[in-house]
Amino acid sequence: MMKFRFRRQGTDPQREKIKQELFAFNKTVEHGFPHQPSALAFDPKLQLMAIGTKSGAIKVYGAPGVEFTGLHKDTTAVTQINFLPGQGRLLSLLDDNTIHLWDYNCSITPPPFLLLPSATRVTVLLLLKSCDLLCIGTEGGGVYFLQLPCLSLKDNQTLLQDQVTKSLPDDYRCGKSLGPVESLQEHPQQSGKILIGYSRGLVVLWDLSTRYADQLFLGKQQLESLVWERTGNLFVSSHNDGGYSVWPVTSSNTYNHQPVTSTIPYDDEWMDKLLLSVPCSSSPVLLYSGGMPRASYGDRHCLTIQQDKEHITLDFTSRVIDFFTIQSPEPEKEFDDPSALVVLLEEELVVIDLQSPGWPSLPTPYLAPLHSSAITCSCHISSVPPKLWERLVNAGKAQHGLQQTHRSWPISGGKNLALPSKQQELLLTGHEDGTVRFWDASGVALTPLYKLSTANVFHTDCDPSDDPQDPSDDPDMQQEEEWPPFRKVGCFDPYSDDPRLGIQKISLCKYSNKLVVAGTAGQVIVLGLSDERSDHLVDVSVVDLLQDREGFTWKGHDRLEPRLKPAPFAPGFQPLVLVQCLPPASVTAVALHAEWNLIAFGTSHGFGLFDYHRRNTVLARCTLHPNDSLAMEGPLSRVKSLKKSLRQSFRRIRKSRVSGKKRTINTPTSKVQEANAALAEQEEVAPVQRRIEPRSADDSLSGVVRCLCFADTFLRDGTHHGPTLWAGTNSGSVYAYALEVPCVGSGRVSDRGGASESSVCVEAVLGKEIQLMHRAPVVSICVLDGRGKPLPDPYEASQDLAIAPDMTNAHSVLIASEEQLKVFSLPKVSAKTKFKLTAHEGCRVRKVALVVFSSAAQEDYSEHTLVCLTNLGDMHLFNIPGLRPQVRYDCIRKEDISGIASCVFTKNGQGGENGLILLKIKYCFYLISPSEYERFSLSAKVVTEPLFSVQLDRLLEPTPKHTSASNTLCSTLAGQTEEPPSSLSSPNLDTPLDSPLSCADLTLDSTGELTVEDVRDFLTTVDEAENNLKNIKEEEGHTTGILIN
Amino acid sequence: PQLMNRTDKKNRHILLLQFEAEYRRFALKRNSPGDFQEFYRLLQTIHHIPGVDVLLGYADVHGDLLPINNDDNFLKAVSLASPLLRIIISKKEDEPGVFATNSLQRRKKGLGLTGLRTTVSGSAHSKNKPGLMIGLPQNFRQISSIIDVDILPETHRRVRLHKHGTNKPLGFYIRDGVSVRVTPQGVEKVPGVFISRLVRGGLAESTGLLGVNDEILEVNGIDVTGKSLDQVTDMMVANSHNLIVTVKPANQRNNVVHRGSKTSVGNCGSVGSVGSTGSTLSHDSPSPASQSNPITASFNYSNASNSIAEGDSDNEDDDRDLILENDCLTPFDSHHITNTSLSDNSTTMSTLNGNTASSSHENMREDGNIITL
């Protein structure tokens, strides 16, 4: 009937095998700070911290490199997390009233859960120290008890409110309910006794064994939280009036009417949470969040630390979610001895060192707030030369050496077993505030190295040097006058002084240490690395990309004003040249060739070529189509969207009228009917239409330069190669320029003889102009050498860092547009191969990269592959230059447009001994939410994954062996439920940790896809090549005793 | 030099030769006329002009001069002999306009008027009319066709839109919708993509082969089931130079019906009204029913019925890119280079040599897209 119209590749088994050895898709690590954290917990025994998010994820962190993730089945906010200390288990309470038990051993296992009757909403959880009983406080005021780990309700133990009310004095009772349970705290010394705090203010010390209230504390203020003092002789309650009270616990009297002391530190604001911690040999440290006078500081996010007369109010830029102190876990000790305070904020994690004087903050080795200013672009550099790395690290140390202490990271659970990576990887993020941050992306954790600010190249409104006041003593003065004593903590600062400073494109040459940074206002800055501080004036050049075209008026923002006076530049990357494009539209493409001292840059109006060595403009070319009016509107243009939004709002009005009518009719009917009506309405509304029209030359923004590339290739004829510049635009035009670079090009030098250096300038001649007939935007251009391999980066060939390109056979150029991939021959441009991706799949190319994949089986086998990310979020792999499809992976949800747009491919690898490129990395980063990077690996060989062990002090139940990773999920679950709970309910707390029977080392995986058994099975699978076996041996040597026998 | 042949209605054919005003008459067996190549060679031997490239044309029942250049229109021509078939032979160099109506003085005829005219030659009528030119087959621009009638179910229609250089927009919009499918389990509602609007004066409307609410089943041979509206849009835009859509027409009355029900197909949509736009409709089906329209049906059999999209793109290369090369770019001549630096791109681009210019010309003609420099 329907015809099979397109030829498909036959499946060659040999080729399929090679493909399997080359490509494998894995989600590996998530970098950065979790989006919307909602809960925090700490395991003092294992020294692990857990963070829950609003999307139902739980992330556990220990020592740097130790991290793993679990995801609840449904994306419900995690409201509370409780560790079962030392057991490698944790309990999570979700917003939908379910309680989940997690086991690190099988971190993905959807844990057994219990759904409480929805009427009694869970407010607090308390896990007893014995870890066998979970107390649940509810909104209705009842306290329920669950047996662990089976999570079964102890029916007869349930403590309902009327049991408590019976024992209350009449004058206190006054007929009202006690309100929801606000706090549950176990007695620090006497097990089996818990403190129950009700919202109305009543606090009860309940004995679980006798099921009788030991003591009642008749508080009159609405209660927020309770905390025990270590000895159990007193506890502190915090209240909604911003005060706290200290209550004595003496066994003598049953009723306590008055607290010992009652303090309201500030005026009248809510106090959310209060902690009390007693360091040895000094007075207790009191910590509380909130409590600020509402009128003056109601908008601040504060946490106060008080000890004797020392008093600091930490002023955060985002909301405080929760906090805890790290202190000595042994209950026998006299003092808590708090070492650090860990505060989870909505946008970052702050750790305060409580042992050093002045309570300084500690730098975090993970959970870096990538988004401290909005990320506008990112760039990945692999196999960074050690020299550059070292200089960057030093520059970074100099930057914040003064501010922070050098104490070791207090959260130290687990042992990182990952080998230090053989090569250094750098991730550069450009931010809205004009900064470029350099991150160490070599390992599992993304750690900040160095921060570069480009704002000081310009003269901005908030320029510190403009201020006549001395900035050094002014804030101090203010601080002394101010009470409470605020201290700004954290680095999350989403507000940009000037949006024009935003970084749009970054290019770094790792061999010459030249960096090009291009921004929103058409600024292109060339920077060089220097270890010395320097005061110098930056050279400024202006390039007019319009080339005197008539009839265009730029309506967008002005260009940034360059600073006229010399500015001080700290060690690190220091600006050398500033090129400003006119009109000052955002830079859309940038290319750097450090060997030729050239930069190319493009905007929506055209592109330019600049020689930063001689400081002169070589070329400026306007790419505007005469009909393109939108290009001149600038970023603030609303021409299109206004029309659209008007139409939408009219539609909305019409719709709301319709629905309004319906609602009045349907008022008495049920919700279901209403929902049905709403559904029906949706169908009534005119559906979205799409116009089918070929792209035309005068489509809006057709002149946007999408990509630029330098190449040493054959453009003039088939026998002489030389420098070339390629530019591709939004309307499918490709311009190829032949460059005349002095002293570059074979044989050219001798011809010129002694032409004086200074007089010879770089020249550019238009060689070819290709108009792709389908007019789709050109996403990428890449020149392939005679063997069909991409040309090496600048310096790689001349410095013998890469295999030299084949200059004997004809080159070709790969042009990837949004719709097609095409390889053209050079120098006579004619199409050789092509693949019409859009015509076949209906998806459009978003990002393209040429990557080398090494085989996991054969040591010396690698293939160059074109990786192509589409607007549907899937990844297509093609061989080059044949452009035959190899594999396709679903990578990103197609709705995640910003995730797709922010995707970065890593492309370069590490040179082997003989100059062959053996190892190349194939991850790509993409921003999963504004604050996180997710890392993928497409390679079957190189995977950045966490590898570590955590010592548990409980017997590990035997889990059935599994043969493949795919079926572990269910069988692990089965294995767990088969276990008699009795054997688990009594953890061997007393067994020494080094006992071979009781201690279990676990290899955990942050992706949470494999249990420990799977890892072993995976590694020892017979199908796996011998190569892998070798790896295991190495690992075994590294992690002795990791396997449980 | 023109040759005219006449064939008989009966099984013997008479030939009349006109060579430099000379006619020849010969006979052919009607039920086994052979193929076009045979006929071509036959003519060459009859006229003693072996090796001379000639163009063949015939006069159809309406008096229009139509070409014979493949098996299909040859068979068609033979089938139309009543009783004679006039065949006009001209040398290939005598172009263009060989098949224009004014080359046959007696057959001046506007395409749009065919319905009104009879087969009688009317040279007297059309003297004052500007004679409509009928170009050579390759000069004809096909704008649409129904293809693969033989392999598609009757309820479906595969339409090919050729957007060659017309300024006309393709002119249609698509939308999401719900399609009702009959399955063994009963009637099932599945999401589908439909034509939502035709732009007036657009290509889609002027062909009359697509209509509002037609469901789109395939785009250039690729099933659109499970694809989103945006995906289908992208596929269509990517194929817009040679768009083949398989639709299930909302109006099922104008369907092409297979062999045996000839009567119902007399109107075959609104194709006839498109004559003024120069549109042609070719049914690549051997079925006589498909050749319902005498003007348009038998023209330009560009594709065998089993031609596939892949083959099309290989042969025609529907999107050949325009490549301009700079001749001033000689490797060792620095004078040239300095002459054409920077901003004078326009001059650089205009100095094309004849070769490139002609090749780009070719591109333009084939692709029909004129790119202004």
Side-chain angles (χ1 to χ4, degrees):
Chain A
M1 207 169 81
M2 300 279 175
K3 224 171 3 162
F4 192 63
R5 286 180 150 266
F6 290 90
R7 287 195 296 261
R8 291 274 155 78
Q9 264 191 296
T11 47
D12 170 19
Q14 185 63 33
R15 180 67 202 153
E16 291 302 310
K17 185 170 174 284
I18 293 173
K19 277 196 220 168
Q20 278 179 10
E21 288 165 2
L22 288 171
F23 314 120
F25 178 75
N26 284 305
K27 282 192 183 188
T28 56
V29 199
E30 282 167 12
H31 293 308
F33 188 77
H35 188 51
Q36 291 188 310
S38 55
L40 177 72
F42 183 65
D43 183 342
K45 281 215 174 96
L46 293 182
Q47 291 277 311
L48 294 171
M49 172 180 70
I51 293 175
T53 72
K54 280 196 178 153
S55 53
I58 289 187
K59 300 188 169 206
V60 180
Y61 298 88
V66 178
E67 53 181 86
F68 46 101
T69 308
L71 197 65
H72 286 98
K73 258 185 182 166
D74 19 53
T75 55
T76 319
V78 180
T79 51
Q80 274 192 58
I81 304 175
N82 268 297
F83 274 99
L84 279 71
Q87 289 201 11
R89 284 178 175 172
L90 58 87
L91 283 163
S92 61
L93 170 67
L94 299 195
D95 204 26
D96 61 0
N97 241 8
T98 57
I99 295 171
H100 300 243
L101 177 68
W102 292 79
D103 199 318
Y104 313 160
N105 182 17
C106 30
S107 48
I108 197 174
T109 310
F113 67 89
L114 166 132
L115 184 65
L116 288 170
S118 56
T120 56
R121 214 187 131 67
V122 178
T123 50
V124 280
L125 294 181
L126 168 70
L127 182 72
L128 292 196
K129 284 204 199 87
S130 53
C131 289
D132 54 354
L133 196 66
L134 178 72
C135 315
I136 301 167
T138 63
E139 201 148 55
V143 179
Y144 299 82
F145 298 93
L146 287 189
Q147 194 130 31
L148 283 178
C150 51
L151 287 178
S152 59
L153 191 66
K154 280 185 147 181
D155 281 326
N156 52 349
Q157 291 246 339
T158 307
L159 168 68
L160 297 173
Q161 228 175 54
D162 42 348
Q163 277 177 272
V164 180
T165 5
K166 268 189 284 180
S167 50
L168 283 178
D170 283 338
D171 58 330
Y172 188 83
R173 208 182 303 161
C174 59
K176 279 188 281 183
S177 98
L178 296 170
V181 179
E182 283 294 337
S183 187
L184 289 170
Q185 298 294 335
E186 192 185 10
H187 196 287
Q189 301 297 337
Q190 302 164 20
S191 59
K193 283 190 181 175
I194 57 168
L195 204 60
I196 304 169
Y198 293 96
S199 175
R200 231 183 85 195
L202 176 74
V203 179
V204 180
L205 183 62
W206 183 259
D207 193 326
L208 287 172
S209 47
T210 59
R211 298 186 35 74
Y212 191 74
D214 264 11
Q215 272 185 311
L216 292 159
F217 306 91
L218 308 176
K220 298 213 164 54
Q221 266 305 331
Q222 198 172 325
L223 189 79
E224 289 299 323
S225 74
L226 294 174
V227 64
W228 277 102
E229 193 259 343
R230 197 176 187 92
T231 54
N233 292 331
L234 52 90
F235 70 87
V236 184
S237 62
S238 72
H239 304 279
N240 77 330
D241 63 349
Y244 61 88
S245 311
V246 181
W247 302 79
V249 183
T250 41
S251 47
S252 55
N253 53 341
T254 333
Y255 296 110
N256 262 306
H257 290 270
Q258 284 303 319
V260 202
T261 51
S262 197
T263 323
I264 301 178
Y266 305 125
D267 274 342
D268 60 342
E269 185 53 58
W270 219 269
M271 190 176 276
D272 290 325
K273 186 183 170 179
L274 180 131
L275 276 185
L276 189 66
S277 211
V278 188
C280 50
S281 72
S282 57
S283 51
V285 178
L286 189 67
L287 305 146
Y288 50 87
S289 64
M292 285 290 112
R294 191 195 303 252
S296 30
Y297 304 113
D299 56 339
R300 298 219 194 185
H301 311 286
C302 293
L303 193 143
T304 305
I305 313 174
Q306 268 179 303
Q307 180 181 29
D308 285 343
K309 279 176 189 152
E310 274 193 83
H311 183 149
I312 278 188
T313 301
L314 304 172
D315 185 9
F316 302 111
T317 48
S318 55
R319 199 163 59 87
V320 177
I321 305 291
D322 204 351
F323 57 94
F324 64 84
T325 54
I326 296 171
Q327 50 199 30
S328 140
E330 283 87 52
E332 302 81 30
K333 273 202 179 170
E334 201 180 335
F335 303 108
D336 292 320
D337 195 15
S339 59
L341 164 71
V342 180
V343 190
L344 177 69
L345 303 167
E346 201 155 37
E347 304 288 356
E348 63 187 315
L349 183 82
V350 171
V351 177
I352 304 289
D353 180 4
L354 291 177
Q355 285 175 336
S356 307
W359 299 321
S361 57
L362 283 171
T364 58
Y366 38 69
L367 289 167
L370 287 166
H371 58 316
S372 50
S373 167
I375 297 177
T376 43
C377 67
S378 41
C379 165
H380 182 273
I381 319 279
S382 43
S383 53
V384 177
K387 187 77 190 148
L388 168 62
W389 189 264
E390 194 185 305
R391 292 173 75 183
L392 275 176
V393 169
N394 288 338
K397 272 186 190 156
Q399 271 183 335
H400 45 67
L402 306 168
Q403 300 161 18
Q404 283 150 337
T405 59
H406 294 284
R407 278 207 40 221
S408 59
W409 183 241
I411 302 167
S412 56
K415 201 162 75 185
N416 187 8
L417 301 173
L419 299 163
S421 64
K422 288 184 202 121
Q423 53 173 341
Q424 308 290 8
E425 279 179 59
L426 203 56
L427 178 71
L428 275 61
T429 53
H431 296 261
E432 202 186 18
D433 61 356
T435 57
V436 178
R437 280 156 219 250
F438 292 66
W439 306 87
D440 176 2
S442 336
V444 169
L446 197 66
T447 47
L449 283 180
Y450 166 71
K451 178 178 147 187
L452 164 76
S453 175
T454 61
N456 55 356
V457 180
F458 303 101
H459 179 91
T460 49
D461 296 336
C462 46
D463 209 323
S465 64
D466 279 358
D467 284 327
Q469 301 156 298
D470 193 352
S472 60
D473 55 18
D474 192 45
D476 290 14
M477 296 262 293
Q478 277 184 348
Q479 224 159 47
E480 265 175 43
E481 287 165 18
E482 204 171 32
W483 200 92
F486 282 115
R487 193 214 291 174
K488 282 253 176 226
V489 181
C491 59
F492 177 71
D493 178 20
Y495 306 105
S496 170
D497 301 328
D498 190 338
R500 292 177 298 169
L501 288 171
I503 306 292
Q504 295 296 329
K505 295 285 162 193
I506 301 172
S507 180
L508 172 70
C509 174
K510 59 188 177 187
Y511 302 111
S512 63
N513 305 332
K514 287 279 186 302
L515 174 71
V516 175
V517 165
T520 308
Q523 76 269 32
V524 184
I525 307 167
V526 184
L527 304 103
L529 190 59
S530 164
D531 298 331
E532 300 299 321
R533 186 176 194 84
S534 147
D535 288 83
H536 64 266
L537 196 63
V538 180
D539 292 306
V540 183
S541 292
V542 175
V543 179
D544 181 15
L545 292 177
L546 276 188
Q547 294 281 290
D548 304 324
R549 286 253 200 141
E550 304 230 329
F552 289 113
T553 328
W554 170 251
K555 294 173 193 159
H557 51 227
D558 292 336
R559 76 183 169 113
L560 284 161
E561 221 177 288
R563 183 191 287 267
L564 299 170
K565 289 175 283 182
F569 296 108
F573 278 101
Q574 294 172 349
L576 305 171
V577 186
L578 165 68
V579 182
Q580 291 190 291
C581 300
L582 279 185
S586 176
V587 176
T588 52
V590 89
L592 162 72
H593 201 295
E595 212 170 348
W596 304 337
N597 295 317
L598 291 174
I599 50 164
F601 42 87
T603 70
S604 46
H605 304 102
F607 56 92
L609 181 65
F610 188 84
D611 179 349
Y612 61 79
H613 182 60
R614 294 174 186 79
R615 311 276 202 265
N616 70 328
T617 310
V618 180
L619 166 75
R621 166 82 197 240
C622 182
T623 53
L624 275 184
H625 191 271
N627 298 354
D628 190 352
S629 56
L630 220 68
M632 301 316 296
E633 300 286 344
L636 299 171
S637 160
R638 292 284 178 270
V639 178
K640 245 185 180 167
S641 53
L642 180 68
K643 209 161 94 186
K644 202 177 160 194
S645 65
L646 271 177
R647 194 182 300 143
Q648 277 171 346
S649 52
F650 275 121
R651 210 169 271 161
R652 215 174 298 131
I653 291 166
R654 202 165 53 206
K655 195 176 153 191
S656 66
R657 273 189 202 138
V658 173
S659 58
K661 259 184 235 157
K662 283 217 171 131
R663 211 165 287 140
T664 49
I665 299 164
N666 286 352
T667 28
T669 60
S670 70
K671 270 188 180 176
V672 181
Q673 271 171 314
E674 228 170 88
N676 278 344
L679 266 178
E681 262 167 45
Q682 272 179 1
E683 275 175 30
E684 276 169 33
V685 172
V688 191
Q689 288 188 79
R690 293 279 184 274
R691 185 158 176 246
I692 307 299
E693 225 40 80
R695 296 163 195 267
S696 73
D698 52 350
D699 272 352
S700 61
L701 294 173
S702 60
V704 178
V705 176
R706 290 290 295 265
C707 57
L708 289 161
C709 99
F710 288 106
D712 183 6
T713 188
F714 301 91
L715 192 65
R716 295 155 189 268
D717 57 53
T719 47
H720 302 94
H721 62 90
T724 57
L725 168 69
W726 298 75
T729 72
N730 230 13
S731 58
S733 300
V734 176
Y735 306 92
Y737 281 80
L739 307 181
E740 196 71 11
V741 182
C743 307
V744 175
S746 52
R748 208 71 56 81
V749 186
S750 56
D751 279 357
R752 295 192 168 273
S756 60
E757 270 260 340
S758 54
S759 66
V760 181
C761 286
V762 180
E763 282 156 12
V765 189
L766 182 64
K768 318 259 173 185
E769 200 173 319
I770 303 168
Q771 174 61 59
L772 298 176
M773 202 41 75
H774 57 283
R775 293 194 176 280
V778 180
V779 177
S780 171
I781 302 171
C782 178
V783 175
L784 308 174
D785 73 358
R787 287 180 299 258
K789 307 262 183 286
L791 295 180
D793 284 342
Y795 285 114
E796 277 185 348
S798 60
Q799 306 285 312
D800 283 336
L801 295 159
I803 191 162
D806 179 2
M807 303 307 267
T808 51
N809 292 309
H811 282 196
S812 49
V813 59
L814 168 76
I815 296 176
S817 76
E818 274 194 7
E819 290 185 355
Q820 297 186 7
L821 311 167
K822 251 178 170 171
V823 175
F824 295 90
S825 64
L826 283 178
K828 175 100 187 80
V829 178
S830 60
K832 281 165 78 182
T833 49
K834 69 174 167 188
F835 188 82
K836 294 177 169 186
L837 186 69
T838 309
H840 281 219
E841 311 278 343
C843 53
R844 267 181 283 168
V845 178
R846 283 281 176 266
K847 302 259 169 166
V848 158
L850 280 167
V851 158
V852 174
F853 285 86
S854 315
S855 170
Q858 293 157 267
E859 194 60 50
D860 54 350
Y861 185 75
S862 66
E863 263 185 36
H864 285 265
T865 303
L866 180 72
V867 181
C868 177
L869 179 72
T870 72
N871 65 331
L872 302 180
D874 48 3
M875 203 81 86
H876 294 255
L877 273 62
F878 299 90
N879 69 349
I880 55 165
L883 296 181
R884 274 195 300 277
Q886 302 295 307
V887 210
R888 195 195 72 89
Y889 298 110
D890 284 323
C891 179
I892 309 173
R893 283 179 307 113
K894 70 176 174 193
E895 295 81 18
D896 187 4
I897 293 161
S898 59
I900 293 168
S902 63
C903 200
V904 176
F905 294 98
T906 64
K907 62 173 181 185
N908 246 329
Q910 160 186 305
E913 296 97 290
N914 51 3
L916 264 165
I917 298 164
L918 296 174
L919 252 179
K920 290 256 180 174
I921 314 155
K922 305 89 206 168
Y923 327 111
C924 63
F925 289 100
Y926 85 97
L927 288 167
I928 47 177
S929 62
S931 58
E932 276 174 287
Y933 272 102
E934 188 163 6
R935 200 166 179 145
F936 290 106
S937 167
L938 291 178
S939 164
K941 191 174 181 187
V942 187
V943 179
T944 295
E945 269 184 331
L947 187 67
F948 52 87
S949 69
V950 176
Q951 294 238 327
L952 305 185
D953 51 358
R954 77 183 155 92
L955 258 171
L956 195 74
E957 64 270 32
T959 321
K961 273 267 185 187
H962 317 298
T963 44
S964 81
S966 58
N967 64 10
T968 52
L969 196 137
C970 42
S971 46
T972 319
L973 186 61
Q976 201 179 27
T977 43
E978 278 163 19
E979 280 299 312
S982 56
S983 73
L984 295 168
S985 56
S986 55
N988 305 315
L989 280 168
D990 304 326
T991 333
L993 280 177
D994 53 351
S995 153
L997 266 174
S998 64
C999 97
D1001 262 358
L1002 299 182
T1003 308
L1004 298 165
D1005 165 26
S1006 82
T1007 54
E1009 281 175 345
L1010 304 170
T1011 67
V1012 58
E1013 284 80 13
D1014 301 323
V1015 173
R1016 271 190 288 162
D1017 283 345
F1018 177 71
L1019 292 174
T1020 54
T1021 312
V1022 195
D1023 323 359
E1024 283 295 309
E1026 298 101 16
N1027 184 32
N1028 264 8
L1029 288 170
K1030 207 165 70 195
N1031 287 345
I1032 295 167
K1033 276 175 203 145
E1034 282 166 19
E1035 270 165 25
E1036 276 175 349
H1038 198 77
T1039 65
T1040 37
I1042 184 178
L1043 304 178
I1044 317 127
N1045 297 306
Chain B
Q2 287 197 335
L3 306 154
M4 287 188 114
N5 300 333
R6 296 196 173 188
T7 50
D8 203 349
K9 190 182 181 179
K10 287 157 198 166
N11 284 347
R12 34 179 285 274
H13 300 249
I14 305 147
L15 173 132
L16 183 82
L17 168 83
Q18 182 205 13
F19 192 79
E20 306 277 340
E22 186 183 29
Y23 292 85
R24 280 189 198 158
R25 198 181 269 253
F26 66 94
L28 260 173
K29 277 191 179 166
R30 165 167 271 193
N31 41 14
S32 58
D35 63 11
F36 171 70
Q37 283 302 326
E38 267 175 52
F39 182 66
Y40 189 81
R41 280 192 293 272
L42 176 69
L43 285 179
Q44 282 183 326
T45 46
I46 284 171
H47 294 292
H48 308 292
I49 46 164
V52 179
D53 285 341
V54 291
L55 292 171
L56 307 181
Y58 72 99
D60 79 338
V61 281
H62 305 285
D64 290 315
L65 183 62
L66 300 174
I68 300 178
N69 51 14
N70 58 30
D71 288 351
D72 296 303
N73 51 17
F74 169 61
L75 288 174
K76 175 72 183 168
V78 171
S79 72
L80 286 174
S82 57
L84 289 180
L85 180 69
R86 278 187 54 176
I87 292 178
I88 295 134
I89 303 171
S90 59
K91 269 177 87 176
K92 233 180 193 159
E93 293 90 77
D94 295 357
E95 56 174 353
V98 183
F99 293 103
T101 42
N102 54 359
S103 73
L104 263 179
Q105 285 301 315
R106 296 178 296 150
R107 291 188 164 70
K108 268 205 178 149
K109 222 165 213 327
L111 272 171
L113 300 172
T114 45
L116 307 172
R117 304 260 166 174
T118 55
T119 55
V120 187
S121 55
S123 55
H125 300 277
S126 40
K127 273 282 181 315
N128 47 357
K129 291 216 169 192
L132 266 173
M133 298 286 284
I134 301 178
L136 285 170
Q138 60 262 41
N139 294 344
F140 268 70
R141 190 167 42 73
Q142 192 184 25
I143 63 161
S144 68
S145 49
I146 295 183
I147 57 171
D148 297 342
V149 185
D150 53 334
I151 53 164
L152 284 175
E154 284 175 14
T155 51
H156 295 179
R157 180 186 296 165
R158 187 167 288 167
V159 178
R160 182 176 201 151
L161 296 175
H162 308 258
K163 181 158 169 56
H164 293 304
T166 37
N167 296 323
K168 268 188 191 177
L170 279 175
F172 66 100
Y173 289 73
I174 57 170
R175 63 165 171 89
D176 277 321
V178 179
S179 166
V180 181
R181 299 264 162 86
V182 182
T183 62
Q185 288 80 37
V187 177
E188 195 182 38
K189 278 189 174 178
V190 290
V193 176
F194 296 84
I195 294 176
S196 61
R197 188 154 84 84
L198 298 178
V199 178
R200 279 198 67 177
L203 193 61
E205 190 211 44
S206 64
T207 63
L209 301 177
L210 298 173
V212 173
N213 292 334
D214 286 1
E215 186 186 354
I216 291 159
L217 304 170
E218 285 179 352
V219 175
N220 285 55
I222 296 181
D223 193 357
V224 300
T225 324
K227 293 215 158 53
S228 70
L229 184 64
D230 287 327
Q231 270 178 289
V232 177
T233 309
D234 285 341
M235 286 166 74
M236 285 185 160
V237 170
N239 286 306
S240 55
H241 291 279
N242 177 28
L243 182 62
I244 301 166
V245 279
T246 309
V247 292
K248 187 180 168 198
N251 179 1
Q252 290 280 336
R253 278 175 301 170
N254 294 334
N255 285 346
V256 172
V257 180
H258 286 224
R259 207 180 292 271
S261 51
K262 195 170 180 172
T263 46
S264 63
V265 222
N267 51 353
C268 195
S270 50
V271 185
S273 66
V274 205
S276 58
T277 66
S279 86
T280 55
L281 165 70
S282 68
H283 291 192
D284 298 328
S285 161
S287 147
S290 65
Q291 302 172 345
S292 52
N293 192 306
I295 305 166
T296 53
S298 56
F299 216 87
N300 198 355
Y301 290 77
S302 57
N303 299 293
S305 61
N306 56 353
S307 75
I308 58 169
E310 181 80 23
D312 289 339
S313 59
D314 284 347
N315 300 335
E316 297 173 13
D317 200 2
D318 54 303
D319 59 351
R320 197 172 299 167
D321 307 309
L322 183 69
I323 294 149
L324 301 173
E325 312 210 350
N326 183 359
D327 265 355
C328 307
L329 204 65
T330 46
F332 287 109
D333 197 339
S334 56
H335 292 291
H336 271 282
I337 293 157
T338 41
N339 284 346
T340 58
S341 65
L342 286 189
S343 54
D344 54 348
N345 295 317
S346 53
T347 58
T348 318
M349 295 321 297
S350 58
T351 55
L352 300 159
N353 68 355
N355 193 17
T356 14
S358 73
S359 78
S360 67
H361 226 72
E362 214 171 82
N363 277 329
M364 286 175 203
R365 202 182 62 211
E366 280 194 63
D367 303 316
N369 258 15
I370 292 143
I371 281 97
T372 46
L373 299 174

